[in-house]
Amino acid sequence: MSTFVEWMTILLKWLYSLTDMVGLASYGLAIILLTIIIKTVIFPLTWKQMKSMRKTVEIQPKLQELQKKYKGKPEKLNQETMALYKEHNVNPAGGCLPLIVQLPIFWALYQTLFKFGNYISDPSQAMFLGFDITATGNIVFAVLAGATTFLQTKLTTATNPTMNADKGGKPDPTQSTQKMMLYFMPFFMAYIGWTVPAGLALYFLTMNIVSIFQQLYINRRLDKEKLDAAAS
C-alpha cells in the first residue's frame, strides 16, 4: 500500500502543478480535480450499478412471488432468486463495486494528507477557501458533505422507487432500508468528514456533487432506453 500512497502523492502534486500553471495554485483544487478524475474513471462501474439497481426494482414483484411461493424453503428460494437475477442480467453485488474501488483511494489520500507537511514548502499551500485542508474538525466541509449525501440518497430513492407494500399489506423491507439510509448516511458522512483532514471532507463533498450529476445523466439515459424499448 505504501507504493499506492506514493502514487497518490505524486498525482496530487502533479495536479497541483496544473493549477499553478493557470495561476490558481491550490491543493484544494487539486483534490477536486483528483475526485473528478476518479469519478470519470469508475463511471462504467457506476453505470452498471445504476442499471442493475433499476432492473432490481423492476423485478421486485417477481421476487415477492418467489418469497411467497417458497416460504419455508430457503435453499429453493435462493436457487430461484439467483436464476431470476441471471435471467434479467442483474448482479446483486454490483452496487458494491464502486465503493470497493474507492476504499484504497480513500486510504491513500488520507495517508497523503496526513504526511502533507513532508512535501510542501509553504504552509499557505495547504489553505483552501480559508481552511487548512490538513486539519481535522472542519465543520463547514463536514456539514456540506452530509447535506450532499442526503441529496444523493434522496435522488436514489426518488428515481428508484420500490413497492410500498406487498399484496399482504406488509411493508417492503427494501423501502425500509432505503429510508434508514436516507437519514442515517448524511449524519454518518458528516461525522466522518469532521474527524478526518478537511481535504478528505472536500473529497467527499466533491464526490457527492459529481455523483448527483452522473446519476441524473444515467437516469435520463435509462429512461430513454426504456421508452425506446417500449416503442419498439
Side-chain angles (χ1 to χ4, degrees), residues 16 19 24-33 116 123-135 138 140-141 144 198-203 205-206:
Y16 172 81
T19 65
L24 297 171
S26 169
Y27 274 102
L29 288 178
I31 291 174
I32 292 174
L33 290 175
F116 201 73
S124 64
Q125 294 177 335
M127 303 302 294
F128 179 68
L129 299 178
F131 302 113
D132 184 350
I133 63 174
T134 66
N138 188 302
V140 175
F141 288 162
L144 289 175
L200 269 178
L202 177 62
Y203 170 79
L205 172 59
T206 308

Side-chain angles (χ1 to χ4, degrees), residues 47 49-55 58 160 215-228:
W47 167 263
Q49 174 196 20
M50 293 296 298
K51 195 168 185 177
S52 180
M53 287 176 59
R54 182 70 68 92
K55 288 184 178 180
E58 292 174 353
N160 294 282
Q215 189 167 346
L216 289 171
Y217 170 74
I218 291 173
N219 286 338
R220 187 173 299 176
R221 280 191 58 182
L222 290 177
D223 288 341
K224 186 177 184 302
E225 286 184 3
K226 188 175 181 179
L227 290 173
D228 292 342

